[in-house]
Amino acid sequence: MSYHNPYTPPRKSATFDDYTLAEIRRAAATGIYDIRGAGTKRKVPHFDDLLFLGASISRYPLEGYREKCDTSVVLGTRFAKKPIHLKTPITIAGMSFGALSGNAKEALGRGATIAGTSTTTGDGGMTDEERGHSQILVYQYLPSRYGMNPKDLRRADAIEVVVGQGAKPGGGGMLLGQKISDRVAHMRNLPKGIDQRSACRHPDWTGPDDLEIKIMELREITDWEKPIYVKVGGARPYYDTALAVKAGADVVVLDGMQGGTAATQDVFIEHVGMPILACIRPAVQALQDLAMHRKVQLIVSGGIRSGADVAKALALGADAVAIGTAALVALGDNDPRWEDEYRKLGTTAGAYDDWHEGRDPAGITTQDPELAARLDPIAAGRRLANYLKVMTLEAQTIARACGKNHLHNLEPEDLCALTMEAAAMAQIPLAGTSWYPGKGGF
Ligand SMILES: Cc1cc2nc3c(=O)[nH]c(=O)nc-3n(C[C@H](O)[C@H](O)[C@H](O)COP(=O)(O)O)c2cc1C
């Protein structure tokens, strides 16, 4: 006989919570794993766990109206004859045409150009809209080689060799058949309407020595003019940074696990890779150990949303940041104005992540001509430019409050950590102490 205790409400398991139960049922019903876009949705240690100290008696702040605080950055100063000059350290991350509509790519170019920063191509090649509207365009050289052609390498302002992405280090991307329009198929040289998986590693590499050969080839093709970036997912940041530098990279791009993706397995997004907070210090340490900090620039990404995030990344030693998801939101992604349509797709504004299905009501992650036409690239570009301006001003305000006349003068000493985890990962003292756990070694 069971005994019902009237004082104790039914108790759900923290391990088997409602979401987990629903996922088990979904897997049992369909036999298919979940694919989605965007980044990790679980809470992981992040920039929110750090705070700036600001100036006081021992430091004096700069006056906003009279004293200059520079936000510019030069990328690719190591070998390239034509380094990249940006007015703000916030760049637009590589996002593929195919994942994004032509209008969205154009809007990214327009917004970045107004703000004085760069955009980046992605899997699937370079579109004319993008080249035409991006004053500074970085061309990705990816494992898949989809859309790769030497002519576009020369039309670019910099080359980014993609080894991995934060959302899926060690994995490849996906583009489902419904997004393979005639144009996307033509650019990728693959059949229309058929699912495409992007390779997880370069077909002609078996180790770091091959990266060195590849970088040399790319330099020769581009007359040693263009900076060569190497992008890695946040997995082993110390060694990956050191190996990229040894292979001859001008710039290292480090993408943490919060980083967005167009489409991949949910299990990958949520369970592989490290938060960007844990990646920056080891990468900076590698650069310092090789006497290359500030000579080889470090761009970091993965969940960057505000000028505070930018300032914190720079204070930890990065030279610049890249944004993907936040840029899409600025264009109009997940906007509540499309709530009725999100509901019809079984989701809600702010949670929509089925970007691979190509039915985006906001016209951004789609190849459907009618949906894509909803995005006005001029207005969306202006929104992005406004957002980039606000983030730059926010970072500048913080830097001034810390007494810094350039964003790059922000330093770890300007920060304290709110949690033990953040203190350990970012090697920043716990607030109110001069101590952080785990000193020494990675
Ligand atoms: C829609 C979308 C498409 C992407 N496509 C690519 C790609 O083609 N190549 C690549 O290296 N990274 C790609 N990424 C990852 C971004 O370059 C970047 O690493 C990531 O978005 C940064 O994190 P954030 O989204 O939190 O800003 C994509 C991201 C998104 C959101």
Side-chain angles (χ1 to χ4, degrees), residues 47-78:
F47 294 118
D48 285 340
D49 302 320
L50 299 179
L51 295 175
F52 280 100
L53 296 170
S56 51
I57 294 180
S58 59
R59 312 266 182 285
Y60 69 93
L62 299 188
E63 190 57 71
Y65 294 106
R66 276 177 267 129
E67 289 171 307
K68 198 168 172 257
C69 176
D70 198 341
T71 63
S72 64
V73 57
V74 186
L75 302 172
T77 50
R78 186 184 186 190

Side-chain angles (χ1 to χ4, degrees), residues 7 15 17 31 47 59 63 68 84 117 125 152 167 204 258 260 280 323 328 347 360 367 372 404 419 424 434:
Y7 300 105
T15 309
D17 61 12
F47 294 118
R59 312 266 182 285
E63 190 57 71
K68 198 168 172 257
I84 302 287
T117 191
D152 288 338
D204 49 355
Q258 296 102 320
I280 302 178
I323 56 166
L328 300 187
T347 183
D360 182 1
Q367 296 303 319
K404 304 293 157 63
T419 65
S434 58

